[in-house]
């Protein structure tokens, strides 16, 4: 395919990255509000939700410096967001916020899964490992958020397709990369596919198979 | 002592490694079934139980690539096992499976404790650190499994000798290594000793001392 | 300022380090006793509380060998302390121990926050990252202790200023370092300031702002 305009794709990527990071942080703040954490707990949980997945991926792949060390402005943004949330958030806002973050969260799942897969492929890892690193990037922020809040991670028990969409999307990315469609197109197609399937799964209330134990 | 036949010891080691990895993964799947996790949660918990201990050891010792990155066929095996378990496992199988994995689990505790101790000694760490790395390898997969399932880790509260057997077995390995009996014999003796003591402790219902708080 | 007598500052630092490490380990043992963990659980939780924060910081900053690998005598000390606690500790000692560790804990918070900030600044990280590494060093031992004991971390929900004092103290250290007052004076001033504010906050029962959700 024709290569995309580089500044355009970079701009689009940045917009999704910022929106998704703030959506992930907000998911942490909602959880912190529900569990009545204090201001410190709220900041930490927001931080874990926003950066935990990418940090765990970088630890596993031995990549430094971390994303949030290179882009310290994201850390400031999450700190400011946490303080604002503590001032502004009221009980009646919780459900509303939860709905508002569904779309940036789905786009973020796509972006982070594609970026994680791409990074691991670039380091020469086998496809399955690369796809799992994409899943870790997209999903484990929420897992760490829930573990610290003393809950079984939502991603592991709500029977909604989330990690599984990232897993399939990761294989799509691997396939597109093999077809040499170009990294930009592979990224765009994977993000759109993951976000679309995730939102469709929510709208149609698709569920994962259940244990028959 | 006379060195062992290298192909024989490697074959034996591989058999124990495969059986123990699957037993550890099954312990995760049993826990996932009990806690009603979904398919994603089941896979993740099986994976944590099977590879968590070795991965944490490698993170602490700064060793890459991880075991499961080098042997991606183990990851496939755990994925297939998880899917099979979700299809096949019924309530009446839980207790049976739990009993069936006791022996490969005990052998795995021995193998992973000896292998972890050996790796840390080889990197020049002091004996206590090496022994603790052996304990981490054998025990922390189960710890991560239980933390993610929102339980106090079984290894920390069931008063059964498990980590403590790995700890003593690690010192046995350090001693055998000092006596220059050869890595193969040290491995075999340590694995047999740890597995035998662990199974004896279960059969005789030995318990650790209790707090008198 | 005039440089301090190097042997004096080193001696003082060592005294605080030992006292704080034992106080952190004791906080783990108290928690283990309350949650009725077994002997293995007690040792692990004491170990996590004592060394978890520094280890997590070193993992994030990619620094090896860890503190407890270089100073294996601390590991022995925590093991001995754990065994002693299981023999000696009775229900009537719990509240007493909790009060006795407040002062070494506050000094340790100061020392570990200053040391973590200093290490990250020395590696060329931006001030905010350095300050957060100080907070991680001082606070995340207790966080890991509570996560393993299946509780929401105390530092995230008791509304007492703890991490926040380390955060502000970290900025004080950054400022003193910029003013070129010398690393020794910066350390002493930061430790005293953090410990004093922490103890004052406890005495006056200052609390963090609450969610109005």
């Amino acid at each position: 395919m024709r290569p995309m305009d580089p500044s355009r794709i970079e701009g689009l990527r940045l917009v999704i990255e910022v929106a998704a990071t703030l959506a992930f942080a907000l998911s942490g703040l909602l959880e912190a509000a529900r569990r009545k954490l204090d201001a410190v707990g709220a900041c930490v949980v927001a931080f874990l939700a926003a950066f935990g997945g990418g940090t765990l991926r970088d630890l596993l792949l031995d990549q430094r410096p971390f994303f949030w060390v290179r882009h310290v402005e994201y850390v400031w943004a999450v700190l400011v967001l946490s303080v604002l949330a503590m001032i502004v958030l009221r009980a009646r806002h919780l459900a509303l916020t939860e709905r508002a973050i569904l779309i940036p969260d789905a786009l973020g799942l796509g972006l982070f899964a594609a970026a994680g897969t791409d990074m691991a492929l670039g380091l020469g890892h086998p496809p399955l490992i690369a796809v799992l690193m994409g899943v870790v990037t997209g999903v484990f922020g929420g897992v760490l958020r829930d573990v610290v809040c003393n809950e079984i991670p939502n991603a592991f028990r709500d029977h909604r397709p989330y990690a599984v969409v990232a897993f399939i999307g990761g294989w799509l990315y691997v396939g597109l990369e093999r077809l040499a469609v170009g990294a930009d197109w592979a990224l765009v197609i994977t993000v759109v596919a993951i976000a679309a399937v995730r939102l469709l799964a929510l709208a149609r209330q698709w569920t994962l198979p259940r244990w028959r134990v």
Side-chain angles (χ1 to χ4, degrees), chain A:
Chain A
M1 269 187 258
R2 206 160 53 84
M4 293 178 130
D5 176 353
S7 69
R8 199 161 184 181
I9 187 95
E10 270 315 299
L12 191 66
R13 188 191 168 120
L14 186 66
V15 168
I16 297 180
E17 192 174 88
V18 171
T21 301
L22 295 181
F24 279 37
L26 270 171
S27 82
L29 291 167
L30 289 177
E31 189 66 22
R34 275 192 216 101
R35 309 284 285 174
K36 305 284 180 204
L37 299 193
D38 60 27
V40 167
C43 289
V44 172
V45 173
F47 196 86
L48 281 176
F51 305 121
T55 303
L56 183 57
R57 176 204 61 205
D58 288 352
L59 266 181
L60 292 174
L61 295 178
D62 210 10
Q63 296 298 300
R64 311 292 157 89
F66 298 126
F67 172 73
W68 45 276
V69 172
R70 268 178 295 129
H71 297 285
V72 77
E73 61 274 15
Y74 277 93
V75 183
W76 284 115
V78 169
L79 278 178
V80 169
L81 184 73
S82 304
V83 171
L84 282 181
M86 289 209 64
I87 295 170
V88 170
L89 213 64
R90 291 289 173 281
R92 66 193 145 89
H93 300 141
L94 293 185
L96 192 71
T97 310
E98 196 141 23
R99 284 186 62 83
I101 65 179
L102 284 178
I103 290 174
D105 180 273
L107 287 166
L109 181 68
L111 179 65
F112 296 146
T117 304
D118 182 64
M119 179 192 277
L121 284 178
L123 291 165
H125 286 296
L128 176 61
I129 301 299
V131 170
L132 289 178
M133 289 300 127
V135 174
V136 164
T137 316
V139 175
F140 269 70
V143 169
L144 291 173
R145 170 199 68 200
D146 294 346
V147 166
V148 162
C149 287
N150 202 20
E151 290 184 345
I152 296 180
N154 208 37
F156 297 167
R157 60 162 186 181
D158 73 350
H159 293 83
R160 300 281 186 80
Y162 189 69
V164 108
V165 179
F167 185 77
I168 296 168
W171 285 107
L172 173 65
Y173 188 89
V174 169
L176 292 169
E177 213 258 358
R178 289 275 157 93
L179 294 173
V181 299
D184 287 346
W185 278 106
L187 181 72
V188 169
I189 295 170
T190 306
V191 171
V192 170
I194 291 178
V197 173
R198 165 65 178 166
L199 293 172
L200 195 65
L202 284 179
R204 298 279 175 97
Q205 304 200 300
W206 290 343
T207 59
L208 297 175
R210 282 171 190 283
W211 289 97
R212 288 175 297 172
V213 165

